[in-house]
């Protein structure tokens, strides 16, 4: 009885090159016809139309919505419960409050969202090198007097607080190409600015809708918590990835 030979797998190097060329050529033709590789216009999927010259991934937000406010508050509560190290009883609750006034640190590009992303990337490297979890919360606001500004609450180990302030000033200098004015960056403890963590959440959500302000009990008689108004392109509030997991 004659045994059938076992077929060995054909190595890829021995396959004809025309197969790959044909596939790439076919994909290029399909893409050129618009069948794949192109997204539908914003008007077809319900996304708001963007202003001329605005970034396609940012939309105008006059207020903080209820969905965004609840997600922000939940993430903030999750972040403050994280230990600074495995097995530690010390929690990584934000303890430093930074405010950046873009008008006093103008780089000529008028794109605060891109500058915030750059600062947060640098901040992540700084905090993680300290061996602590990256816990931060931010809010973007604008007003007729000071213009757009950026509030950032972050947990920083006590021995690294002065170093972070110096680093943030240097990051702004790198972005603008010059040393920024002292008033461009303000640093205060959380207790001094908002009266503790609960007050911090109310302060960050003060630009919310009437329903948001009512649900989170934002004080109406305190001018510090008054709503300034104005439109922000992109996210108004956000939390770090450690607060979302």
């Amino acid at each position: 009885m004659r045994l059938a030979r076992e077929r060995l797998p054909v190595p890829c190097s021995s396959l004809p090159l025309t197969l790959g060329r044909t596939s790439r050529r076919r994909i290029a033709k399909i893409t050129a016809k618009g069948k794949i590789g192109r997204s539908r216009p914003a008007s077809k999927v319900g996304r708001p139309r963007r202003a001329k010259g605005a970034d396609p991934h940012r939309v105008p937000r006059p207020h903080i919505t209820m969905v965004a406010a609840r997600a922000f508050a939940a993430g903030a509560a999750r972040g403050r419960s994280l230990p600074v190290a495995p097995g530690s009883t010390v929690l990584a609750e934000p303890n430093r409050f930074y405010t950046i006034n873009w008008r006093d640190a103008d780089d000529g590009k008028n794109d605060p969202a891109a500058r915030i992303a750059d600062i947060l990337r640098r901040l992540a490297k700084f905090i993680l090198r300290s061996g602590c979890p990256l816990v931060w919360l931010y809010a973007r606001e604008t007003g007729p007097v000071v213009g757009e500004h950026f509030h950032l609450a972050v947990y920083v180990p006590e021995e690294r607080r002065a170093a972070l302030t110096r680093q943030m000033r240097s990051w702004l200098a790198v972005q603008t190409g010059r040393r920024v004015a002292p008033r461009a960056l303000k640093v205060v403890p959380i207790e001094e600015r908002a009266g503790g963590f609960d007050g911090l959440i109310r302060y960050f959500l003060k630009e919310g809708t009437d329903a948001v302000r009512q649900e989170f009990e934002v004080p109406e008689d305190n001018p510090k918590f008054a709503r300034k108004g104005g439109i922000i392109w992109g996210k108004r509030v956000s939390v770090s990835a450690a607060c979302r997991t």
Side-chain angles (χ1 to χ4, degrees):
M1 183 177 178
R2 190 174 183 179
L3 298 176
R5 289 185 178 181
E6 181 181 359
R7 292 187 178 183
L8 298 176
V10 180
C12 296
S13 58
S14 64
L15 293 175
L17 296 178
T18 55
L19 178 62
R21 293 172 184 170
T22 304
S23 300
R24 287 193 293 269
R25 190 182 300 115
R26 183 168 179 270
I27 292 174
K29 288 182 179 179
I30 296 174
T31 305
K33 292 180 181 179
K35 294 183 179 179
I36 62 174
R38 294 183 179 181
S39 60
R40 291 184 293 169
S43 59
K44 298 295 184 182
V45 295
R47 297 195 299 270
R49 294 179 181 273
R50 64 187 179 96
K52 184 178 181 180
D55 189 282
H57 301 294
R58 300 174 197 149
V59 296
R61 291 182 170 88
H63 300 296
I64 302 172
T65 63
M66 183 63 75
V67 173
R70 289 174 176 170
F72 173 80
R78 193 177 300 114
R80 72 177 300 195
S81 63
L82 294 176
V84 296
S88 174
T89 58
V90 181
L91 302 181
E93 180 177 324
N95 53 14
R96 233 41 186 171
F97 188 96
Y98 295 87
T99 299
I100 299 176
N101 294 316
W102 300 119
R103 185 175 293 178
D104 297 320
D106 186 19
D107 64 347
K109 298 179 181 179
N110 194 26
D111 191 2
R115 298 183 65 181
I116 290 171
D118 176 65
I119 289 175
L120 293 179
R121 283 194 296 267
R122 297 172 185 269
L123 177 67
K125 294 179 181 179
F126 181 92
I127 297 295
L128 294 178
R129 284 171 184 167
S130 303
C132 302
L134 181 60
V135 177
W136 55 253
L137 325 169
Y138 82 62
R140 297 172 59 194
E141 299 176 2
T142 186
V145 178
V146 297
E148 184 170 340
H149 50 283
F150 172 63
H151 295 307
L152 175 68
V154 59
Y155 172 78
V156 191
E158 184 176 358
E159 66 276 7
R160 300 287 289 166
R161 293 175 186 175
L164 179 57
T165 301
R166 292 194 299 268
Q167 285 294 319
M168 290 193 70
R169 292 193 182 279
S170 68
W171 298 339
L172 292 175
V174 169
Q175 291 181 345
T176 59
R178 66 184 187 281
R179 181 179 294 180
V180 298
R183 62 179 178 272
L185 177 66
K186 298 179 182 179
V187 189
V188 295
I190 296 294
E191 293 78 10
E192 180 180 336
R193 184 59 178 174
F197 186 81
D198 293 336
L200 176 70
I201 300 302
R202 298 187 185 100
Y203 186 84
F204 274 20
L205 296 179
K206 66 182 181 180
E207 296 295 331
T209 61
D210 293 338
V212 169
R213 290 175 63 90
Q214 182 177 2
E215 178 168 325
F216 289 92
E217 301 178 352
V218 179
E220 297 292 345
D221 55 349
N222 191 339
K224 186 186 296 185
F225 292 85
R227 189 164 49 199
K228 297 181 177 66
I231 294 177
I232 293 294
W233 285 85
K235 288 185 177 181
R236 274 189 167 270
V237 291
S238 185
V239 297
S240 61
C243 301
R244 297 191 292 265
T245 56

